[in-house]
């Protein structure tokens, strides 16, 4: 007597043993039979949210059971003629080339969610999970190939999860173009870092006395020029530097550029100071304090020649680490500034909790300030508070003499 099972050896497995559904190879074969033009309809890619947590908490065998039951839930919802496949890990694809509409696809997604909720209840809530979905219309897949369908549907599902999960995202060409632009920009930024920071440039915005317009300091501004995209705004490339961790080498490069300029300006303005922004990623993942102190000594400067700026978002991401860094920077005599003051929910509480040397009033308060009494009141309140706590203030965004003359009445320190 021989007991065993038969497996497909030497060929890609067409069926999936866990879910009982056909797999990627079968989907690829099906699309090949369709031909170069996809009929009207939709593609719905479904993924289990946080499936990794189920495997880690309840075991892989339990996770396989969830895969199997989810497949059953989906299979009970699809109409005759719609094709269902299990693809990567916890993901499934429903293909409707029968003329199904977007509204019908969304109703199908809701129906699947209802079936899963019913299974969870019947399973006595041993685990509670949700599903997300990415929806493509046939006409969205302009390049009619298996690879393109997988690529676009993966993007759509990823957007649904990025938007908060437990929802269906409808493919949008504009969103996809932004996604492709970001991927290209990531490649450009990596290439630039590798090639000795080519494409990056530092600019220096003067900070002058609000009383006599004498040069006091300068804020270092980072700019990036892409060979393909031209000048890229900081609001676009800096978050990418932070997401990828490239802000660590770039931040170190900016620090050296800034201190080098500070040393040169000292030949003409001995008390000149340089202001450098520090990302919370640098605080979290690099020895930023050691880098600052080592660089200050390398360029023959004093620690009081440097102003370190951190935005409020940095504190929100890592309150403890930032507070510890702030304390140690102050111990070494480095001046500290809170950037974009007044624009976030916790600016005031941070100013109360931490000893800053300078509050930088965001330029959004200065825009049209002559015509906005509420902005005038806010700026005056910030400056009055700073005076009482012996903190300096810097007004950002002054671009002409008229605004400069108007702002002086509020009594700020610098601008």
């Amino acid at each position: 007597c021989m007991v065993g099972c038969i497996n497909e050896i030497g060929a890609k497995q067409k069926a999936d043993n866990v879910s009982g559904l056909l797999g990627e190879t079968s989907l690829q074969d099906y699309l090949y039979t369709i031909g170069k033009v996809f009929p009207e309809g939709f593609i719905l890619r479904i993924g289990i949210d946080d499936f990794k947590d189920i495997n880690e908490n309840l075991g892989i065998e339990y996770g396989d059971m969830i895969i199997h039951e989810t497949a059953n839930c989906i299979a009970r919802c699809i109409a005759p003629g719609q094709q269902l496949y299990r693809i990567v890990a916890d993901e499934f694809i429903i293909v409707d080339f029968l003329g199904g509409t977007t509204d019908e696809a969304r109703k199908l997604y809701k129906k699947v969610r209802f079936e899963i909720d019913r299974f969870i209840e019947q399973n006595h809530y041993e685990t509670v999970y949700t599903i997300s979905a990415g929806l493509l219309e046939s006409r969205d897949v302009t390049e009619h190939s298996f690879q393109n369908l997988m690529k676009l549907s993966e993007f759509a599902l990823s957007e649904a999860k990025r938007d908060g999960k437990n929802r269906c995202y409808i493919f949008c060409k504009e969103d996809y173009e932004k996604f492709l632009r970001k991927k290209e920009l990531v490649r450009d930024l990596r290439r630039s870092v590798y090639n000795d920071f080519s494409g990056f440039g530092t600019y220096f915005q003067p900070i002058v006395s609000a009383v006599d317009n004498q040069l006091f300091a300068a804020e270092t501004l980072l700019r990036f020029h892409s060979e393909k995209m031209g000048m890229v705004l900081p609001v676009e490339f800096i978050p990418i530097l932070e997401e990828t961790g490239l802000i660590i080498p770039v931040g170190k490069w900016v620090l050296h550029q800034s201190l080098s300029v500070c040393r040169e300006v000292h030949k003409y303005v001995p008390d000149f100071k340089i202001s450098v922004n520090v990302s919370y990623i640098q605080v979290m993942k690099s020895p930023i304090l050691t880098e600052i102190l080592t660089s200050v000594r390398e360029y023959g400067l004093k620690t009081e020649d440097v102003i370190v700026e951190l935005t409020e978002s940095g504190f929100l991401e890592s309150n403890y680490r930032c507070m510890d860094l702030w304390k140690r920077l102050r111990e070494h005599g480095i001046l500290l500034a809170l950037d974009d003051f007044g624009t976030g929910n916790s600016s005031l509480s941070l100013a109360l909790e931490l000893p800053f040397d300078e509050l930088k009033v965001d330029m959004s308060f200065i825009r049209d300030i002559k015509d906005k009494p509420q902005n005038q009141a806010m700026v005056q309140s910030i400056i009055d508070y700073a005076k009482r706590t012996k903190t300096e203030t810097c007004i950002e965004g002054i671009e002409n003499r008229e605004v400069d003359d108007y702002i002086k009445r509020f009594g700020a320190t610098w601008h």
Side-chain angles (χ1 to χ4, degrees):
C1 177
M2 180 177 290
V3 179
C5 65
I6 299 174
N7 289 320
E8 298 171 82
I9 300 175
K12 289 187 177 180
Q13 191 171 333
K14 293 185 177 181
D16 170 57
N17 293 331
V18 175
S19 67
L21 300 176
L22 295 175
E24 277 191 49
T25 302
S26 297
L27 171 58
Q28 192 168 5
D29 292 342
Y30 172 65
L31 295 177
Y32 181 78
T33 64
I34 293 296
K36 293 184 178 181
V37 179
F38 289 171
E40 287 293 315
F42 63 80
I43 298 94
L44 188 67
R45 184 163 178 164
I46 296 173
I48 299 174
D49 296 327
D50 303 313
F51 181 69
K52 180 182 177 183
D53 294 342
I54 296 176
N55 276 338
E56 290 180 350
N57 295 330
L58 298 170
I60 293 176
E61 288 186 3
Y62 194 94
D64 287 346
M65 184 273 289
I66 293 298
I67 292 283
H68 181 76
E69 292 301 327
T70 301
N72 289 341
C73 289
I74 299 173
R76 286 195 294 270
C77 296
I78 62 175
Q82 292 177 335
Q83 307 293 319
L84 173 61
Y85 305 89
R86 183 198 175 191
I87 49 173
V88 183
D90 60 311
E91 296 178 11
F92 307 84
I93 278 186
I94 301 170
V95 179
D96 180 312
F97 286 152
L98 306 173
T101 64
T102 298
D103 287 341
E104 290 171 346
R106 295 174 71 175
K107 289 177 182 177
L108 174 57
Y109 166 70
K110 291 179 180 178
K111 189 176 179 181
V112 174
R113 278 179 50 179
F114 176 80
E115 282 293 320
I116 289 175
D117 289 343
R118 195 166 68 167
F119 157 69
I120 291 171
E121 183 179 354
Q122 292 171 350
N123 197 40
H124 308 294
Y125 298 96
E126 285 187 0
T127 185
V128 178
Y129 67 96
T130 58
I131 59 168
S132 297
L135 172 59
L136 296 172
E137 294 183 272
S138 295
R139 61 174 175 265
D140 293 326
V141 190
T142 53
E143 180 191 326
H144 298 139
S145 67
F146 169 75
Q147 289 77 13
N148 196 41
L149 182 145
M150 295 295 286
K151 180 172 61 177
L152 297 182
S153 62
E154 180 183 12
F155 164 76
L157 177 57
S158 296
E159 287 296 290
K161 290 179 178 288
R162 194 176 295 116
D163 286 344
K165 304 174 185 175
N166 195 28
R167 65 190 62 206
C168 180
Y169 168 84
I170 301 175
F171 179 85
C172 173
K173 184 179 178 181
E174 290 74 17
D175 289 347
Y176 187 61
E177 288 173 350
K178 290 177 183 176
F179 167 76
L180 293 179
R181 175 181 169 86
K182 182 177 179 180
K183 285 183 67 175
E184 182 65 32
L185 187 52
V186 169
R187 286 193 288 267
D188 279 358
L189 291 168
R190 290 192 187 280
R191 195 180 303 118
S192 174
V193 171
Y194 181 77
N195 292 318
D196 199 25
F197 304 95
S198 62
F200 285 105
T202 49
Y203 294 77
F204 299 90
Q205 182 170 283
I207 300 173
V208 301
S209 168
V211 177
D212 55 14
N213 287 332
Q214 290 297 307
L215 181 65
F216 165 76
E219 178 182 1
T220 309
L221 305 177
L222 178 63
R223 297 293 181 262
F224 180 70
H225 183 274
S226 164
E227 291 184 3
K228 295 182 179 180
M229 304 177 191
M231 288 300 297
V232 183
L233 293 175
V235 70
E236 183 178 8
F237 75 80
I238 288 180
I240 295 176
L241 290 177
E242 293 181 331
E243 288 174 21
T244 58
L246 291 173
I247 193 67
I248 293 175
V250 172
K252 190 173 182 178
W253 177 81
V254 169
L255 178 64
H256 283 270
Q257 297 295 309
S258 303
L259 297 183
S260 175
V261 167
C262 185
R263 182 174 61 184
E264 289 301 308
V265 177
H266 272 187
K267 297 175 182 177
Y268 311 96
V269 185
D271 295 330
F272 178 79
K273 303 180 187 304
I274 197 72
S275 182
V276 182
N277 284 277
V278 172
S279 165
Y280 73 96
I281 297 296
Q282 293 172 272
V283 176
M284 292 287 290
K285 298 183 179 181
S286 71
I288 184 63
L289 177 63
T290 301
E291 289 176 1
I292 292 173
L293 296 177
T294 301
S295 300
V296 167
R297 288 193 296 269
E298 179 182 339
Y299 287 91
L301 301 173
K302 302 185 292 294
T303 52
E304 54 264 34
D305 295 328
V306 180
I307 303 171
V308 170
E309 296 184 28
L310 190 68
T311 59
E312 178 187 332
S313 61
F315 286 97
L316 296 178
E317 293 290 338
S318 174
N319 193 277
Y320 171 76
R321 286 180 180 268
C322 288
M323 287 185 175
D324 181 62
L325 173 65
W326 241 223
K327 177 183 176 182
R328 294 165 69 188
L329 286 171
R330 285 187 67 86
E331 289 173 352
H332 286 90
I334 293 174
L335 301 175
L336 310 175
L338 178 58
D339 199 11
D340 301 334
F341 183 75
T343 58
N345 296 326
S346 61
S347 288
L348 184 57
S349 62
L350 285 171
L352 291 171
E353 190 171 358
L354 292 173
F356 288 96
D357 299 292
E358 177 187 345
L359 298 178
K360 302 193 74 175
V361 181
D362 188 72
M363 64 183 299
S364 61
F365 292 108
I366 308 306
R367 194 176 297 117
D368 302 323
I369 189 170
K370 294 176 69 175
D371 303 318
K372 293 183 177 179
Q374 63 272 29
N375 285 25
Q376 298 168 20
M378 178 62 74
V379 171
Q380 190 64 69
S381 297
I382 293 173
I383 293 172
D384 290 344
Y385 164 78
K387 287 180 178 179
R388 292 191 181 96
T389 56
K390 297 181 180 180
T391 305
E392 310 291 354
T393 49
C394 180
I395 307 294
E396 298 186 293
I398 299 176
E399 298 177 347
N400 56 62
R401 174 71 65 181
E402 182 182 6
V403 176
D404 181 33
D405 292 339
Y406 185 82
I407 287 295
K408 285 181 178 178
R409 70 181 64 184
F410 293 96
T413 315
W414 307 303
H415 56 245

